Amino acid sequence: MQFLKRKTYLSSLFILLYFLTITQIAAQNRAVTVDTTIITKHSTTIKGATVNYTAQTGTQPVWDDEGKPIATLFYTYYKRTNASNSIDRPIIFSFNGGPGSASAWMHIAYTGPKVLNIDAEGYPVQPYGYQKNPHSILDVADIVYINPVNTAYSRILNNADRKLFFGINADIAYLAEWLTTFVNRNERWESPKYLIGESYGGTRVMGLALELQEQQWMYLNGVILVSPADYRVYNTGGAVASAVNLPYFTAAAWYHQQLAEELQGKDLLELLPDAENFAVNQLLPALAKGGFISDKERTNIARRMSYFSGISENVILQNNLDLSPSFFWKELLRHQGKTIGRLDSRYLGIDKKESGSRVDYNAELTSWLHSFTPAINHYIRTELKFVTDIKYNMFGDVHPWNNENDTTRDDLRKAMAENPYLKVFIQSGYYDGATTYFNAKYTMWHIDPSGKMKDRFRFEGYRSGHMMYLRNEDLINANDDLRKFIKDSSAKGASAKY
């Protein structure tokens, strides 16, 4: 009897240990759900009106030509439920940049129904978190925030080839297919459609505009470029890339009170046209001459550059009239022992050494990650009810990234030519030192060299940086500008013809 009891005890112990082992093994395997949907209901107040909405979050696959899933993208879709015009209500597809950046930035700081707890100028405060966004555009349009492969919870599946995702044209191709699936599943073919892309997202949506039209037969009403990175100019070097940075230098130097008294006494918008005129009509031709510029002209240009940038004439001459933004971030406040931010030059940093030509870190980005990372993780899990052990990648591994055959600027021009409804809106911060506001203007000027479609472009500048919406005044203004653009780009029953 004693033997049987002992045998039963040992058998039970073995079974228990077996299941504990299996459970432990299973718990060690983390995998994203390939195709799932979670819907929650919410209500908020925007522009004084009650807005009821659903938040649909989950994952949707990317398939190969044989119909096998090769990746899955995490997304959040906000749909107003008490709108009167649900059939023709606009829908906006939102992308951030990087490449390799999650959609968190515009999702919980700009257009979405929630906004970060930050101060009026955009600096983080504790406790971290978020609140209702009374300025969201959800009152006038539904919004989908999309995370490309390896950002947020989006992942490659089944060891698919990375080349299918990580490059300018590969990125555009698979995202266009994904968007078509989304529109089919959610019955949004009748809706006026818009793309909004920030930073590299600007390159992405310029290319998507044509890809959607020519490969998916999906036509848009608008493309919105937020602080766009145009890789036909951005980081390319040469006279144009250098000259278009000068007005940004003026804006940043003005903000930090490093310009001559006569310029500091003016409002920012009063002095920028003079800086822009100098950049295009004097600095650009001078830089084009390279080492064959005359000594007299070189000296005159250096003096005017100093006047508009706050950098000494001697330092400018030492750099052959070619000031890089990275050097400017280090040099402008070197005498004060400070550096300025890259994406938002209002921010200050402290380097280990005052010497050198590059900053140790991006003061603004480290500040932003303080507030964004806790907020987006908490919000998705607790309010949107999407719970996973997969890490939310604010920035994901998308390298090597193939930048070859970048025709996105021309793609947008062709999409506009093919589609008379399509309009373009560009938003930029004056203190953005990465994708400068004047670079964005230059891109706008050169999308359509013929000038025949220039009445379909609009540009707005804001007194902040790359993510202009972090500053409360610009959050309000920028969202109102989006509302106006959506209204102005509505077809209003007009035929699509020239």
Side-chain angles (χ1 to χ4, degrees):
M1 193 71 175
Q2 198 67 13
F3 173 78
L4 288 175
K5 286 182 177 179
R6 179 177 175 80
K7 185 175 181 181
T8 302
Y9 170 78
L10 290 173
S11 298
S12 299
L13 182 62
F14 174 80
I15 292 171
L16 177 62
L17 289 172
Y18 173 80
F19 280 106
L20 285 174
T21 302
I22 293 298
T23 302
Q24 187 176 19
I25 292 172
Q28 290 174 349
N29 295 325
R30 292 192 304 178
V32 67
T33 306
V34 176
D35 200 344
T36 187
T37 300
I38 297 170
I39 299 177
T40 52
K41 295 181 179 180
H42 309 266
S43 183
T44 190
T45 300
I46 300 173
K47 309 291 283 186
T50 299
V51 175
N52 299 328
Y53 64 96
T54 56
Q56 175 181 314
T57 191
T59 54
Q60 179 184 292
V62 177
W63 293 282
D64 64 12
D65 293 338
E66 298 177 355
K68 297 177 181 178
I70 55 175
T72 188
L73 303 191
F74 176 72
Y75 70 94
T76 303
Y77 168 34
Y78 295 106
K79 181 180 180 181
R80 185 173 181 177
T81 55
N82 64 337
S84 58
N85 59 333
S86 58
I87 294 177
D88 60 353
R89 180 172 164 80
I91 186 168
I92 297 179
F93 299 101
S94 180
F95 296 93
N96 273 94
S101 175
S103 68
W105 312 97
M106 290 199 289
H107 185 171
I108 59 167
Y110 188 12
T111 51
K114 302 293 183 182
V115 68
L116 290 175
N117 286 338
I118 50 180
D119 72 15
E121 291 298 313
Y123 292 88
V125 294
Q126 290 185 330
Y128 302 124
Y130 51 86
Q131 57 190 303
K132 291 183 177 181
N133 181 5
H135 314 295
S136 168
I137 57 171
L138 187 55
D139 58 331
V140 297
D142 298 331
I143 318 167
V144 189
Y145 298 93
I146 303 157
N147 298 277
V149 170
N150 276 9
T151 71
Y153 302 127
S154 302
R155 296 293 188 272
I156 293 176
L157 301 174
N158 303 318
N159 296 314
D161 189 349
R162 293 169 66 90
K163 293 179 181 178
L164 295 172
F165 311 104
F166 302 146
I168 288 178
N169 294 299
D171 179 77
I172 290 167
Y174 88 81
L175 286 173
E177 290 279 352
W178 190 95
L179 286 170
T180 299
T181 301
F182 181 91
V183 168
N184 278 328
R185 286 186 172 190
N186 293 278
E187 300 181 350
R188 297 306 300 252
W189 277 105
E190 292 180 288
S191 305
K193 300 171 188 66
Y194 295 80
L195 301 177
I196 182 170
E198 179 178 272
S199 196
Y200 179 82
T203 292
R204 175 177 284 139
V205 300
M206 284 195 292
L208 273 171
L210 186 65
E211 182 76 8
L212 287 170
Q213 286 183 192
E214 294 196 342
Q215 300 302 318
Q216 306 297 326
W217 308 285
M218 185 187 298
Y219 285 70
L220 305 171
N221 279 59
V223 170
I224 302 155
L225 309 177
V226 179
S227 305
D230 177 5
Y231 282 70
R232 296 277 294 275
V233 181
Y234 180 69
N235 280 351
T236 58
V240 171
S242 181
V244 296
N245 288 325
L246 189 279
Y248 149 71
F249 296 158
T250 303
W254 179 87
Y255 179 84
H256 291 290
Q257 300 184 358
Q258 297 301 303
L259 297 178
E261 186 176 341
E262 63 180 298
L263 293 183
Q264 288 297 155
K266 295 182 178 181
D267 181 72
L268 177 64
L269 299 188
E270 287 184 77
L271 64 92
L272 285 181
D274 290 338
E276 294 175 6
N277 180 64
F278 168 72
V280 171
N281 296 315
Q282 297 182 54
L283 179 56
L284 178 56
L287 289 169
K289 297 174 185 177
F292 284 73
I293 188 174
S294 70
D295 290 342
K296 181 179 179 180
E297 186 179 4
R298 186 196 303 269
T299 300
N300 287 337
I301 292 294
R303 178 176 52 80
R304 294 293 287 169
M305 282 185 71
S306 178
Y307 179 72
F308 282 118
S309 69
I311 303 299
S312 76
E313 182 178 337
N314 185 55
V315 168
I316 291 170
L317 288 169
Q318 289 173 347
N319 283 271
N320 301 323
L321 309 180
D322 183 11
L323 286 182
S324 70
S326 59
F327 178 78
F328 179 78
W329 308 326
K330 183 77 172 182
E331 179 67 20
L332 182 67
L333 300 182
R334 194 192 299 267
H335 60 288
Q336 295 181 7
K338 298 288 196 304
T339 64
I340 62 172
R342 170 179 176 260
L343 295 166
D344 191 332
S345 293
R346 297 175 302 150
Y347 288 70
L348 299 178
I350 302 174
D351 279 358
K352 184 177 181 180
K353 295 180 179 180
E354 293 178 9
S355 61
S357 60
R358 302 183 71 89
V359 297
D360 291 351
Y361 65 101
N362 295 332
E364 78 298 327
L365 188 57
T366 55
S367 175
W368 294 340
L369 289 170
H370 269 280
S371 47
F372 274 93
T373 309
I376 191 66
N377 278 277
H378 181 72
Y379 174 60
I380 289 172
R381 294 178 70 89
T382 61
E383 292 211 27
L384 302 186
K385 307 302 181 184
F386 188 91
V387 179
T388 177
D389 286 330
I390 298 293
K391 183 176 72 171
Y392 186 96
N393 286 339
M394 295 295 289
F395 299 103
D397 177 15
V398 298
H399 301 291
W401 188 269
N402 186 349
N403 285 313
E404 295 176 352
N405 301 316
D406 177 10
T407 60
T408 52
R409 190 200 290 172
D410 295 330
D411 292 345
L412 180 55
R413 185 212 62 79
K414 189 178 181 186
M416 293 179 71
E418 293 176 353
N419 177 8
Y421 284 150
L422 181 55
K423 296 183 179 180
V424 176
F425 180 32
I426 299 174
Q427 298 180 298
S428 290
Y430 295 120
Y431 306 128
D432 180 359
T435 57
T436 68
Y437 89 89
F438 200 55
N439 196 328
K441 279 190 174 182
Y442 179 88
T443 294
M444 179 177 70
W445 296 339
H446 288 267
I447 289 173
D448 173 34
S450 75
K452 296 174 182 176
M453 297 186 287
K454 63 184 178 182
D455 61 333
R456 290 158 63 187
F457 289 89
R458 179 184 172 194
F459 176 91
E460 288 291 340
Y462 305 90
R463 295 172 185 257
S464 45
H466 194 70
M467 298 194 292
M468 76 292 295
Y469 43 81
L470 293 181
R471 181 172 176 260
N472 190 62
E473 181 180 329
D474 292 321
L475 172 69
I476 298 169
N477 293 336
N479 274 301
D480 282 344
D481 289 337
L482 288 177
R483 283 185 184 83
K484 186 176 188 306
F485 176 69
I486 292 168
K487 180 181 178 180
D488 292 346
S489 56
S490 170
K492 301 181 181 71
S495 300
K497 64 180 182 179
Y498 291 113

